[in-house]
Amino acid sequence: MQTSIRACSAAFAVICGVLFTGVGTPPASASLPDVPAPAGPWGSFYDPPTELPGEAAGDVIREQSFTPALSVPSATGAFPGTARRIMYRSVDDAGRAIAVTGTYFEPSTPWPGPSRPLVSLASGTIGEGRQCAPSIALQSVVHYSPPFDLSIAYEQLAVDYLLGQGIAVVFTDYVGLGTPGPHPYGNRAASARAVIDAARAAQRLPGTSLSPDGPVGFWGYSQGGHAAAAAAELQPTYAPELNMKGTYAGAPPVKLDDTLALAEGSTLIGAVGYFLDGAVRTNPEIGPVLDRVLNDQGRAMMSSTANQCIGETLLNYSFQHTTQWTNTGESLGAAVTSDPIGRRIVEEQAIGNLTPASPILLASNVNDDAVPYSRVHDLAQTWCERGVPVTLSTIELPPIIPGTAVGHGVPEFANVPAAAAWMIDRFNDVGILHQMNCEQK
């Protein structure tokens, strides 16, 4: 097993680790479809047409160029790259066509190999409201609307680092962020399809340096790690045509009930509202379960988080306990999963029931205070025993202000160079040198 010790003292990383990385977990008011799209220089971009153009998942519906906030003019146009907001087709659980938005970044740095690679990147927790779409924050770095509506494009660090290596990046907004919600937060299948179809859309987008059969990798941390890992599992059957080279999944919430239990009383506990709001969209049968489980305070929590970005949720709900939101006084996770319907919906979001067909890099801090390290280790073991080339990067940081998610957030930023180096090796078809020993427990 590969063991990596990471340390990061930058104040920016600590602050973002506390405030802007998140987890997924278990729903009766959701972000309603008639909530208007956020206003801005993009005009009506985020309102899908009544009839979606194209025929297949991954077909591009529309595109719109914009200047990323942190780019600088260069001889090739902009460094580290140019950006286009995109809307593309995906499908819901019933196979119906839906629109998803995101951002495609074209690097200004050449790729030394024969075909420029593409990373499809999935964001950590950024919120539940339409205005929290990463593609909106990417235009200004910070999305803010008084008094407390706040999100930050903290994934820009990973995007720019990859662009600087000559790797193209497509960054999904997920389902229901930007486009009409609610966003199915933590939903394994919806997240996976959004990541995969973003890669398809990027390779079909005109005027890029990508080839239709060029190398592809998935990338994500926390909620994004869950989405990237889910995409790696789903890709062999959903998108076998992709030239998959590898997936980096950092601190993925493998089992949402365990993640919720660890989040109790932490800064991230309000994100439970995101999951519940999203579950109402994908699994409406959970509505009666929530009607029985939630008290008035719990219903108010769901209603308020339905249209919040992560900054406001942290401000309103940090360090609270879900016991105050249930009729019985038991934890919300226990109350929901004690019902067969609720238990099935939560268990359906687990990673590890399917098998990726390409190499995987998993990373987790042994003292992660938001996502249990033991579950990530077990996932590596499971996949390894099925013959998947798995590298587990065990990050050994001491406990850092437990309950604030610093131990969860710091590794996201500190691990970017190592994860990028691993991904570049996959794109260059370098053999796995540190495959996990499946016998090691």
Side-chain angles (χ1 to χ4, degrees), residues 81-330:
T82 58
R84 279 189 266 178
R85 190 177 284 110
I86 61 172
M87 179 180 286
Y88 59 93
R89 289 175 65 116
S90 188
V91 294
D92 63 14
D93 288 345
R96 295 180 294 251
I98 57 173
V100 182
T101 54
T103 307
Y104 172 73
F105 293 90
E106 174 76 15
S108 56
T109 301
W111 174 255
S115 183
R116 189 188 295 278
L118 170 71
V119 159
S120 186
L121 190 147
S123 178
T125 298
I126 197 168
E128 182 69 5
R130 294 184 69 177
Q131 76 280 12
C132 312
S135 62
I136 291 176
L138 286 165
Q139 185 158 347
S140 58
V141 179
V142 177
H143 157 77
Y144 174 68
S145 179
F148 304 118
D149 186 29
L150 174 69
S151 62
I152 291 181
Y154 59 89
E155 302 282 6
Q156 189 74 55
L157 173 65
V159 170
D160 286 353
Y161 193 94
L162 292 166
L163 293 175
Q165 312 306 307
I167 300 169
V169 176
V170 64
F171 189 167
T172 182
D173 286 338
Y174 294 126
V175 177
L177 293 181
T179 53
H183 163 49
Y185 180 87
N187 181 287
R188 177 184 55 80
S191 301
R193 291 189 295 264
V195 171
I196 294 169
D197 291 333
R200 286 168 156 169
Q203 292 188 326
R204 297 172 192 174
L205 193 65
T208 76
S209 58
L210 299 175
S211 61
D213 58 354
V216 175
F218 300 148
W219 178 297
Y221 189 92
S222 193
Q223 181 192 359
H226 179 268
E233 287 190 321
L234 188 62
Q235 177 271 326
T237 54
Y238 182 69
E241 80 281 4
L242 291 183
N243 182 11
M244 277 300 299
K245 295 297 185 179
T247 297
Y248 166 54
V254 178
K255 293 185 180 294
L256 299 191
D257 50 349
D258 289 348
T259 304
L260 174 59
L262 187 58
E264 286 285 347
S266 76
T267 56
L268 299 175
I269 194 59
V272 66
Y274 300 164
F275 178 83
L276 299 178
D277 285 312
V280 171
R281 171 179 180 159
T282 56
N283 299 90
E285 68 271 24
I286 201 172
V289 177
L290 297 175
D291 288 340
R292 292 193 300 272
V293 165
L294 294 173
N295 59 23
D296 288 344
Q297 193 173 354
R299 282 186 281 272
M301 177 273 299
M302 277 194 64
S303 179
S304 63
T305 56
N307 290 297
Q308 288 180 351
C309 295
I310 187 64
E312 187 171 4
T313 302
L314 291 168
L315 180 66
N316 289 342
Y317 294 105
S318 285
F319 307 116
Q320 295 188 28
H321 292 266
T322 63
T323 53
Q324 67 196 69
W325 299 331
T326 63
N327 283 315
T328 61
E330 61 186 326

Side-chain angles (χ1 to χ4, degrees), residues 344-387:
R344 172 181 59 79
I345 292 169
V346 170
E347 290 178 348
E348 284 175 349
Q349 315 320 322
I351 304 296
N353 293 322
L354 302 175
T355 305
S358 54
I360 304 288
L361 171 63
L362 294 171
S364 181
N365 177 15
V366 293
N367 287 303
D368 191 312
D369 56 344
V371 175
Y373 167 80
S374 61
R375 287 299 190 184
V376 180
H377 177 277
D378 291 348
L379 176 63
Q381 191 80 25
T382 296
W383 279 343
C384 189
E385 290 172 352
R386 296 179 194 165

Side-chain angles (χ1 to χ4, degrees), residues 13 21 28 153 222 359 382 412 430 440:
T21 45
S222 193
T382 296
E412 172 170 10
V430 175
Q440 185 171 352

